[in-house]
Amino acid sequence: MKDKPRYIAFEGIDGVGKTTQAKLFQFFLESINIKSLLTKEPGGTPAGTKIKQILLEDKIYKETKLLLFLADRSQHIREVVKPNIEKGFVVVSDRSLYSTIAYQGFGEGIDVEFLYKLSNFTNDSILPQLVFLIDMQPETCIMRCRKRGKEKNESISFLRRVREGYLKLSKEKNFFVLNGQKDIATLHEDIVKIWNEL
Ligand code: TMP
């Protein structure tokens, strides 16, 4: 365990199954007696839960949205991620700064370099050491979200840009890319295999 990552993020567009996989992975860590914690962005702290409510308002401009996600993250890093890493926990997070790069940067067209500069401030130098990107066609994701009654107001072209952004990031930042079409158990096995081989 000595050199294993302590801050792990699950990324992907809505509906890929990232939340399920993050949960299963954290259960797995517990099952092998690794102290771990499952958390999320946005909404991983009491302040973040309130910020998430504001994000659900009808008319939120993309600049406002960006600052709300960053406020959520700033609180989350300082209140949850950093202290738990310091206590020896492995922190498993459903989303991270890379969601901002993919959604606000590649999706909404906000300058990516500017977003990284802002992230230096919000993240306090705490960056995920291991990222699992679950990848899937946006069309399938939209259908899945619809079935779960969790459909979002995002256009297919927006989700395509976000997905392409994630794939570009995966090459630059060495994310592990997983095929979201696989069934839940097989995907989980793939993730555990990657962890075991690290
Ligand atoms: P969720 O809580 O259902 O995962 O929804 C979070 C939504 O917010 C999801 O559509 C992705 C989006 N998001 C961003 O646009 N930027 C961010 O930085 C984060 C963390 C999430």
Side-chain angles (χ1 to χ4, degrees), residues 122-134:
T122 49
N123 274 62
D124 196 19
S125 307
I126 314 277
L127 301 177
Q129 297 156 316
L130 171 63
V131 179
F132 293 111
L133 170 63
I134 307 187

Side-chain angles (χ1 to χ4, degrees), residues 29-184:
L29 292 178
E30 290 289 323
S31 75
I32 55 167
N33 295 320
I34 293 180
K35 285 192 296 181
S36 60
L37 176 106
L38 179 66
T39 186
K40 63 177 177 181
E41 292 180 6
T45 63
T49 307
K50 292 185 186 156
I51 293 170
K52 202 168 165 175
Q53 284 303 314
I54 307 173
L55 281 160
L56 294 174
E57 295 277 334
D58 272 349
K59 185 78 187 150
I60 298 283
Y61 297 93
K62 66 178 183 186
E63 295 79 2
T64 314
K65 215 192 250 183
L66 166 66
L67 295 172
L68 289 168
F69 281 122
L70 294 179
D72 171 79
R73 180 161 313 119
S74 171
Q75 189 67 22
H76 184 234
I77 291 282
R78 287 162 182 79
E79 189 175 327
V80 178
V81 180
K82 195 174 179 192
N84 280 291
I85 292 173
E86 284 169 0
K87 277 193 263 172
F89 279 75
V90 172
V91 175
V92 179
S93 186
D94 183 346
R95 299 198 180 278
S96 70
L97 82 145
Y98 297 117
S99 288
T100 301
I101 306 296
Y103 278 79
Q104 279 64 53
F106 291 98
E108 307 260 28
I110 301 177
D111 181 65
V112 166
E113 285 314 309
F114 174 62
L115 295 179
Y116 276 120
K117 279 198 188 124
L118 290 171
S119 296
N120 284 341
F121 178 67
T122 49
N123 274 62
D124 196 19
S125 307
I126 314 277
L127 301 177
Q129 297 156 316
L130 171 63
V131 179
F132 293 111
L133 170 63
I134 307 187
D135 178 58
M136 209 163 68
Q137 295 279 356
E139 289 82 352
T140 318
C141 294
I142 289 175
M143 265 163 38
R144 277 197 188 178
C145 289
R146 203 170 284 158
K147 268 194 201 152
R148 293 184 204 147
K150 285 190 174 172
E151 200 175 353
K152 302 233 164 112
N153 233 349
E154 292 157 336
S155 69
I156 188 89
S157 54
F158 173 78
L159 290 175
R160 282 197 189 117
R161 290 196 298 280
V162 177
R163 181 192 185 202
E164 288 312 311
Y166 268 131
L167 291 172
K168 187 164 182 274
L169 276 176
S170 72
K171 296 196 185 91
E172 291 169 10
K173 307 280 176 191
N174 296 323
F175 297 170
F176 286 94
V177 184
L178 298 141
N179 178 358
Q181 301 279 6
K182 290 190 181 177
D183 65 77
I184 293 175

